[in-house]
Amino acid sequence: MIDEELKDIERKILRGERLTFEDGLELFHCKNLAAIGALADYVRKKICGDNVYYNVNCHVNLTNICKARCKFCAFGRDENSVGAYAMTIDEVIALVEDALKSPNMGGLHVVSGLHPTWTFENYLEILQAVHEKFPALYIKGFTGVEITHFATISGLSVEEVLKKLKKAGLQAIAGGGAEILSDSVRNILCPKKATAAEWLNVARTAHKLGLKTNASMLYGHIETLEERVEHLLKLRELQDETGGFQTFICFPFLPKNTALENKITQTSMYDDLRTLAISRLMLDNFKHIKAYWVMLGVPVAQVALTFGADDIDGTIHRENILHEAGASSPKFLTEEYLIKLIREVGRIPTLCDCNYNIISQI
């Protein structure tokens, strides 16, 4: 049953009207999680039908040596720190060859730290080598933060950097690094990396070049509910302009092993589900909303498929960044298990590539 306070929002949604900033705040203050979820699931079904997308993929985290050292990050290291690493081309090739033992392996997700001494050419050489060795694999890689960094260290424009990455084999851009698109938040948590405007500029430029990108939000740290809604509206505005975003991913902040570990507690399942559902309702021009099982945990990600999500990500093969921050999820899942999770909620398992081209439906 829809609360009286949500009646106006429900009417807007049923009429296909756009929600406002005030509507977004009202949704975050509403305590009827089931009602919010039902509205989000209605929109999900209207946009996506009963398909739930997944892929068989491998994460490649090239280096954890990073000059940004953000307060919310447990992955980054200084160059001489214990556990610091930087992969060689041979090591990356070996990792991908191991991942290819999985049936239906289709693509790579390549992200890493902002290495203080690597040049743009170092990153580019790895990308080229991987693409030449495994031309059948799609490559989604690098965030708006990394691409801004590449432009800075190379002296090239963002557009020139993107053209070189695309020529080397990049087919889509990862959604990380958006965090909260508020410089007042970024100046506290991640002052050494791309500003909100720079992150948005990478996405805008990529879309102009025909490169699809993803978008994300890292929530549950020092941001306000108002800043969450503003973040969503900034993404919606750019999507109106370019249409180049493919999916939106909610990243709940995981505080373990970060500078904020003793100051902030991890988000609840309640907050995770409401944030994902509200994102579906506010981002009316995004087709896909991802329930990222690595950060949400597998049980919450499965429930999120009834709260507006239509994508459960992929098998991963080996994930490092988020497990450093205490993610309790497995480091990989089998394709069979993902299919089981999807079928249990009555949906159609839909294998796709990084641009949502359907490979098969099971």
Side-chain angles (χ1 to χ4, degrees):
M1 183 175 179
I2 297 294
D3 290 354
E4 191 60 36
E5 63 182 316
L6 289 183
K7 284 294 184 182
D8 286 343
I9 291 176
E10 180 189 28
R11 281 192 284 270
K12 282 186 175 182
I13 290 168
L14 294 179
R15 291 196 296 255
E17 294 179 14
R18 174 160 280 187
L19 300 185
T20 64
F21 173 83
E22 291 75 19
D23 293 331
L25 270 186
E26 187 172 339
L27 285 164
F28 270 111
H29 288 297
C30 176
K31 300 303 179 186
N32 191 339
L33 180 63
I36 296 170
L39 290 173
D41 203 49
Y42 165 81
V43 174
R44 184 273 313 160
K45 187 173 180 64
K46 184 179 177 182
I47 294 174
C48 302
D50 285 330
N51 291 339
V52 170
Y53 296 86
Y54 75 95
N55 53 72
V56 180
N57 65 340
C58 172
H59 278 213
V60 182
N61 306 132
L62 300 177
T63 179
N64 63 353
I65 299 170
C66 184
K67 69 177 189 178
R69 302 309 308 276
C70 305
K71 290 183 180 178
F72 53 74
C73 181
F75 178 68
R77 301 285 191 279
D78 292 328
E79 200 161 4
N80 297 320
S81 296
V82 174
Y85 75 87
M87 297 182 75
T88 64
I89 290 175
D90 287 345
E91 288 170 335
V92 174
I93 296 296
L95 171 61
V96 178
E97 286 177 335
D98 184 58
L100 282 168
K101 296 174 184 176
S102 298
N104 294 327
M105 177 57 62
L108 306 176
H109 179 93
V110 183
V111 294
S112 62
L114 312 182
H115 197 290
T117 60
W118 276 11
T119 66
F120 175 45
E121 290 299 324
N122 291 133
Y123 291 94
L124 203 58
E125 285 170 6
I126 294 173
L127 178 63
Q128 289 171 327
V130 170
H131 181 57
E132 289 172 6
K133 179 74 174 179
F134 310 104
L137 293 180
Y138 62 79
I139 302 176
K140 175 180 66 181
F142 306 119
T143 65
V145 168
E146 289 171 276
I147 290 163
T148 300
H149 173 67
F150 297 160
T152 299
I153 62 176
S154 67
L156 300 172
S157 68
V158 166
E159 182 171 345
E160 289 168 326
V161 165
L162 288 169
K163 286 179 177 177
K164 285 180 176 290
L165 290 171
K166 188 177 180 181
K167 185 177 180 181
L170 191 69
Q171 292 169 270
I173 294 174
E179 323 310 0
I180 292 290
L181 292 170
S182 163
D183 285 334
S184 61
V185 172
R186 300 174 84 86
N187 287 339
I188 295 170
L189 295 183
C190 50
K192 296 181 180 180
K193 71 181 190 183
T195 65
E198 287 172 333
W199 189 94
L200 290 166
N201 177 58
V202 170
R204 179 180 289 107
T205 307
H207 299 167
K208 183 178 74 173
L209 296 174
L211 273 171
K212 298 292 187 179
T213 75
N214 293 343
S216 66
M217 177 172 69
L218 180 72
Y219 64 93
H221 40 84
I222 67 170
E223 88 288 351
T224 64
L225 293 179
E226 288 82 359
E227 285 167 328
R228 290 192 196 182
V229 178
E230 288 168 355
H231 178 101
L232 296 173
L233 293 181
K234 287 177 182 178
L235 294 175
R236 191 173 78 182
E237 181 180 1
L238 182 55
Q239 184 74 331
D240 278 344
E241 177 187 334
T242 68
F245 285 121
Q246 300 198 102
T247 190
F248 174 77
I249 312 121
C250 288
F251 290 148
F253 173 57
L254 304 177
K256 187 176 180 181
N257 298 325
T258 74
L260 302 176
E261 181 172 8
N262 298 318
K263 299 177 182 178
I264 295 174
T265 57
Q266 188 169 332
T267 59
S268 63
M269 178 178 71
Y270 175 91
D271 195 11
D272 294 338
L273 290 175
R274 73 166 177 170
T275 302
L276 187 143
I278 292 168
S279 298
R280 169 60 85 183
L281 296 174
M282 296 300 295
L283 296 175
D284 54 30
N285 51 6
F286 276 65
K287 182 174 182 180
H288 303 291
I289 303 291
K290 187 187 292 285
Y292 191 39
W293 64 261
V294 176
M295 294 190 81
L296 294 172
V298 174
V300 177
Q302 186 183 37
V303 174
L305 296 178
T306 67
F307 275 71
D310 69 296
D311 180 346
I312 200 166
D313 199 70
T315 55
I316 303 296
H317 183 69
R318 188 177 76 181
E319 197 285 327
N320 294 315
I321 294 175
L322 304 172
H323 285 87
E324 292 280 359
S328 58
S329 55
K331 282 210 167 188
F332 69 93
L333 295 177
T334 65
E335 182 179 9
E336 292 75 19
Y337 188 61
L338 282 175
I339 291 169
K340 174 179 177 290
L341 293 175
I342 295 166
R343 283 181 171 160
E344 282 180 349
V345 295
R347 303 287 166 71
I348 302 167
T350 304
L351 178 64
C352 66
D353 67 15
C354 69
N355 287 316
Y356 288 91
N357 295 307
I358 295 175
I359 298 169
S360 65
Q361 290 181 308
I362 302 167

